[in-house]
Amino acid sequence: MNLIQVMKVFGKSTVLFSLLTYTSVAQTVSTPIVGFSKLSISAGGRLISPVFNKASKYQGSAVASSGVFTVSGLTANAFIPTAYNDRPNYPTHYVKITSGSYEGLVLDVTANSATTITVADAPAGLSGSVSILVIPHYTLLDLANQSADLAAYSDAVTFYDSGNNKRTYYYTGGTDGFIADDYSTPANNVVIYPGSGVIVNTTANSSVTMTGNVNTTKTIVPIFAGESIVSPIDPSGVSKVAGINLAAALSPYTDSANAVLLNGTLATSTFYSDGVDILNDSYDVVPLASSPAVDSGNGFIVNSVADSQWIQPAVINP
């Protein structure tokens, strides 16, 4: 894909790109597609999801076995989780599989040496040669640093976790970015996972200006039984609800995907699935040509009867 094609794809978005490709004897190498996108937040709030990836710290081949990837050329302990004693700890990096039958899978890094990367919750069948990326997680501190006009100690973000659990964190306006709902525990290291998001509650109009690399690989996004927040990793704002493979992740006629409106009311527009196509709230098929788009940084509150996975396509295939 050349630069003109990229600009056509993202014609509606506030995004700038740099794309350079060259071919060597061994392989084709592309620089990342880099951009920014300003997300407006009306008083009241909206759903916010990261629309870019951070720059990868490792990209290449690996040999997987029992949750360990063998690679070369790393710095030991460069990707390890946080080790605070005054707050819960979180992973700082994740491995993303970019080839094979597990392509798109995201796994938290728990340890690394100069030649190995250990991850959590690797499936038993993940073995042999694969291509991977190691990418830093997006955190609440990133969200705080990219925000403008949030109100300290009143504006907040809420996560929807597995088991219908929810977590709320308050913006501080300070170096910690956000704190837990006890108003004291620092929360700047809390992770917003790829393809997920948070509900931001605000007292006045505000914004978040996100920057990073455009997602050019498939992503597997978990959907929990109960409520989940999921979103396309897409800064363009032109992806159609009926064109993002969400229907296959929803149980037919029972699960609902509720797109959050951006007018500050946090009201939703509801969609269903027949197992193949997206349906509107009257259970009629939504044609791709007339399907509404998913605004940049927006997504869905999904109500699901069972755990599922949304296999989210890449924004651009370079």
Side-chain angles (χ1 to χ4, degrees), residues 11-30:
K12 290 178 61 180
S13 182
T14 311
V15 185
L16 299 178
F17 297 95
S18 171
L19 178 62
L20 174 66
T21 303
Y22 65 89
T23 302
S24 67
V25 174
Q27 60 183 346
T28 299
V29 179
S30 298

Side-chain angles (χ1 to χ4, degrees), residues 128-308:
S129 296
V130 292
S131 297
I132 66 170
L133 297 169
V134 178
I135 301 175
H137 272 300
Y138 186 91
T139 68
L140 286 185
L141 184 60
D142 295 313
L143 181 62
N145 289 340
Q146 294 174 349
S147 68
D149 300 319
L150 292 180
Y153 298 99
S154 59
D155 290 356
V157 300
T158 299
F159 289 76
Y160 287 39
D161 295 331
S162 60
N164 276 330
N165 295 312
K166 294 182 175 64
R167 292 174 285 138
T168 297
Y169 301 92
Y170 289 88
Y171 177 69
T172 68
T175 56
D176 277 323
F178 283 83
I179 54 175
D181 58 5
D182 62 2
Y183 288 95
S184 63
T185 302
N188 57 4
N189 60 324
V190 173
V191 169
I192 303 177
Y193 280 87
S196 68
V198 295
I199 297 297
V200 181
N201 295 103
T202 59
T203 54
N205 292 343
S206 53
S207 65
V208 175
T209 300
M210 294 185 172
T211 61
N213 294 349
V214 175
N215 183 42
T216 58
T217 59
K218 180 192 300 184
T219 307
I220 298 176
V221 179
I223 292 175
F224 307 125
E227 290 184 308
S228 305
I229 297 175
V230 298
S231 178
I233 311 171
D234 179 6
S236 72
V238 299
S239 292
K240 301 286 189 74
V241 175
I244 54 177
N245 200 40
L246 184 59
L250 304 177
S251 295
Y253 304 104
T254 55
D255 290 359
S256 63
N258 305 282
V260 179
L261 303 185
L262 301 183
N263 57 8
T265 65
L266 297 176
T268 60
S269 180
T270 299
F271 300 91
Y272 299 94
S273 168
D274 62 6
V276 176
D277 294 310
I278 285 290
L279 313 177
N280 62 23
D281 58 3
S282 298
Y283 294 95
D284 298 319
V285 171
V286 177
L288 181 61
S290 58
S291 170
V294 183
D295 290 281
S296 179
N298 198 20
F300 308 89
I301 300 173
V302 173
N303 288 280
S304 180
V305 296
D307 290 344
S308 180

